[in-house]
């Protein structure tokens, strides 16, 4: 098959608010937000373990404020809808353990700004950012549709449209691409946790009508599209009765699905001195502005840092042959107009704010409420690229 007529299928998944891993992410980011709201200069690296009837929160936190961590956690569990011990967690009665120490002074040495030493990266790491022109959000279509499905499941549950739904769930979308453009949805997979008083026949019919068909574009589906809803025939036992949860286990769900690369570190529970988070947000910001400027139809940014060092040790731009200028020219342009030191990224994107709990479900990218989704550098890019 020639490259010109190439076809491929790309699959992405998402998970619901009540999936144990996502519960863990939301807890970690809720703790982070509660601390940043009182102490923007705090250092937070918070991780959560969720299991039957029990939550363990651990990590390294250095702050001048006091936060009632169990109260923060219970409020988040209540918002998610974890109100029944039969799902493994009841926000009122679950056990909560905390084991927290201060940030290592050896790490703090490289991060803290002092006379003669600028803020370095909070850890070594590899970050990626991606953007494309196949959706209005400049995100890959499979991951955006996967998020839309689980978000719709939550709406149907919380608004009593489908009152038998419970908080756990998953979605998965497979899309066929021809010459790098999405052409049709080949498969839709939904797993929706439910109460024991609904038949599988009713659930499958309701979810297909009230979730799948209301979310997915009709023009992308046909008679050959495979739809699988609750493939085992039963999903009553869910949440932490069926699985444990850990912060940071859904990095591909959090980023670009099966379309693009993502770095080795997770986002949730980390303040922006950790470049796993801030560097990835900056990569997305630059890539999206390049695509929004019409300089490429697909763009991937790559950054790498060494702990305690401010300047990145690697930076590259890849446009997969879609760029109006060479990748080298775009790289020089970005290096000239974007400061990629941690402090500069934090200031540009205003990251020392309690904005993180909302990132912990439905993806960190493609949502206009986040500062790294702005396209306010388009004109700067256009002006600067012409100077090369």
């Amino acid at each position: 098959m020639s490259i010109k007529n190439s076809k491929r299928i790309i699959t992405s998944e998402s998970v619901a608010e009540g999936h144990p891993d996502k519960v863990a992410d939301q807890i970690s980011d809720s703790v982070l937000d509660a601390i940043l709201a009182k102490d923007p200069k705090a250092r937070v690296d918070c991780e959560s373990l969720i299991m039957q009837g029990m939550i363990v929160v651990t990590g390294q936190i250095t702050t001048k404020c006091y936060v009632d961590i169990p109260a923060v956690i219970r409020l988040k569990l209540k918002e998610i809808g974890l109100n029944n011990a039969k799902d493994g967690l009841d926000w009122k009665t679950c056990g909560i353990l905390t084991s927290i120490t201060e940030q290592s002074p050896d790490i703090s040495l490289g991060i803290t700004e002092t006379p003669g030493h600028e803020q370095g990266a909070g850890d070594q790491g590899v970050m990626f950012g991606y953007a494309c022109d196949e959706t209005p959000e400049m995100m890959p279509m499979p991951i955006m549709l996967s998020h839309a499905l689980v978000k719709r499941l939550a709406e149907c549950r919380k608004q009593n449209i489908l009152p038998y739904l419970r908080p756990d769930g998953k979605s998965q979308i497979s899309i066929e691409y021809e010459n790098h453009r999405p052409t049709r949805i080949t498969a839709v997979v939904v797993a929706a946790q439910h109460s024991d008083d609904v038949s599988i026949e009713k659930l499958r019919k309701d979810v297909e009508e009230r979730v799948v068909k209301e979310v997915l574009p009709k023009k992308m589906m046909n008679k050959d599209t495979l739809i699988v809803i609750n493939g085992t025939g039963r999903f009553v036992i869910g949440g932490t009765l069926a699985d444990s949860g850990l912060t940071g286990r859904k990095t591909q769900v959090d980023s670009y699905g099966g379309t693009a690369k993502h770095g080795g570190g997770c986002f949730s529970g980390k303040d922006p001195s950790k470049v796993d988070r801030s560097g990835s947000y900056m990569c997305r910001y630059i890539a999206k502005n390049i695509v929004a400027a019409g300089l490429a139809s697909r763009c991937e940014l790559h950054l790498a840092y060494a702990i305690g060092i401010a300047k990145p040790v690697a930076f590259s731009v890849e446009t997969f042959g879609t760029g109006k200028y060479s990748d080298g020219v775009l790289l020089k342009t970005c290096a000239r107009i974007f400061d990629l030191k941690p402090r500069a990224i934090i200031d540009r994107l205003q990251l020392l704010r309690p904005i993180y709990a909302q990132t912990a479900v439905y993806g960190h990218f493609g949502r206009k409420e986040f500062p790294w989704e702005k396209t306010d550098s388009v004109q700067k890019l256009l002006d600067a690229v012409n100077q090369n």
Side-chain angles (χ1 to χ4, degrees):
M1 182 181 291
S2 68
I3 295 176
K4 183 178 180 181
N5 296 315
S6 65
K7 289 185 179 182
R8 65 183 299 212
I9 292 176
I10 297 176
T11 302
S12 295
E13 70 163 343
S14 185
V15 295
E17 294 177 37
H19 185 283
D21 289 334
K22 272 292 140 207
V23 174
D25 285 343
Q26 291 171 86
I27 286 173
S28 295
D29 271 338
S30 294
V31 171
L32 170 64
D33 275 358
I35 293 171
L36 288 181
K38 295 182 176 181
D39 181 8
K41 295 182 179 181
R43 296 283 185 255
V44 180
D45 189 357
C46 174
E47 300 188 33
S48 304
L49 165 65
I50 316 297
M51 48 191 171
Q52 293 185 16
M54 177 65 68
I55 295 170
V56 179
V57 176
T58 187
Q60 298 76 44
I61 299 175
T62 299
T63 181
K64 296 178 180 179
C65 73
Y66 170 76
V67 167
D68 186 344
I69 290 178
V72 170
I73 293 171
R74 293 188 193 281
L75 178 59
K76 176 50 65 176
L77 297 178
K78 182 180 181 182
E79 291 174 357
I80 294 170
L82 292 168
N83 55 13
N84 192 332
K86 292 181 179 180
D87 293 327
L89 280 177
D90 179 355
W91 69 271
K92 293 180 180 178
T93 61
C94 68
I96 299 174
L97 296 177
T98 61
S99 178
I100 294 170
T101 62
E102 290 188 336
Q103 183 178 71
S104 162
D106 292 350
I107 295 175
S108 179
L109 187 67
I111 299 173
T112 305
E113 288 181 300
T114 59
H117 178 77
E118 58 188 335
Q119 180 174 337
D123 202 350
Q124 70 177 50
V126 180
M127 300 92 222
F128 293 93
Y130 183 82
C132 59
D133 64 359
E134 64 191 56
T135 63
E137 299 87 1
M138 299 182 196
M139 284 285 288
M141 185 177 289
I143 190 66
M144 293 306 293
L145 293 181
S146 295
H147 289 323
L149 284 173
V150 290
K151 189 173 184 180
R152 178 60 181 166
L153 278 177
E155 290 174 353
C156 287
R157 171 173 60 90
K158 293 179 178 181
Q159 297 174 15
N160 284 321
I161 297 170
L162 302 178
Y164 52 77
L165 291 180
R166 298 299 297 151
D168 200 355
K170 286 187 173 183
S171 67
Q172 185 172 285
I173 297 285
S174 298
I175 294 181
E176 183 178 74
Y177 282 68
E178 186 169 356
N179 298 328
H180 304 292
R181 307 303 298 182
T183 56
R184 69 184 184 96
I185 297 171
T186 62
V188 181
V189 180
V190 177
Q193 187 192 11
H194 57 90
S195 61
D196 204 11
D197 58 357
V198 61
S199 69
I200 185 61
E201 292 80 16
K202 176 173 174 54
L203 180 138
R204 284 172 172 164
K205 180 181 178 182
D206 287 351
V207 171
E208 182 170 350
E209 292 295 324
R210 302 307 301 269
V211 178
V212 174
K213 289 184 178 180
E214 289 199 20
V215 166
L216 302 184
K218 294 180 181 179
K219 64 180 181 180
M220 293 289 293
M221 302 177 71
N222 57 29
K223 61 181 179 61
D224 296 321
T225 300
L226 174 66
I227 299 177
V228 178
I229 298 171
N230 285 25
T232 70
R234 178 180 169 87
F235 187 8
V236 173
I237 301 173
T240 58
L241 291 182
D243 195 6
S244 60
L246 285 170
T247 300
R249 261 201 320 208
K250 290 292 181 285
T251 52
Q252 200 165 43
V253 171
D254 288 339
S255 50
Y256 306 99
T259 300
K261 303 182 189 74
H262 62 82
C266 76
F267 305 144
S268 290
K270 298 176 180 177
D271 77 81
S273 70
K274 298 292 188 181
V275 287
D276 282 332
R277 182 163 224 160
S278 54
S280 297
Y281 292 167
M282 190 63 180
C283 284
R284 163 63 178 173
Y285 174 75
I286 297 172
K288 185 175 182 180
N289 275 269
I290 287 174
V291 173
L295 297 174
S297 59
R298 291 188 292 143
C299 182
E300 185 175 81
L301 266 289
H302 163 232
L303 277 173
Y305 290 88
I307 188 169
I309 307 301
K311 292 184 66 174
V313 298
F315 178 40
S316 65
V317 177
E318 170 68 53
T319 60
F320 310 96
T322 70
K324 288 189 175 180
Y325 298 84
S326 71
D327 291 346
V329 167
L330 291 176
L331 178 62
K332 290 180 181 178
T333 300
C334 291
R336 189 163 65 247
I337 67 174
F338 297 114
D339 189 338
L340 299 175
K341 296 176 183 178
R343 169 52 60 186
I345 293 174
I346 290 168
D347 290 344
R348 175 184 279 270
L349 300 181
Q350 298 179 296
L351 297 180
L352 294 177
R353 297 178 292 148
I355 59 173
Y356 298 107
Q358 58 189 320
T359 70
V361 67
Y362 311 129
H364 291 243
F365 307 115
R367 298 164 60 184
K368 62 183 179 181
E369 63 263 36
F370 300 138
W372 49 90
E373 294 296 319
K374 292 181 179 180
T375 53
D376 53 359
S377 288
V378 165
Q379 194 57 51
K380 284 184 180 179
L381 279 165
L382 292 173
D383 292 342
V385 78
N386 292 322
Q387 296 176 14
N388 288 296

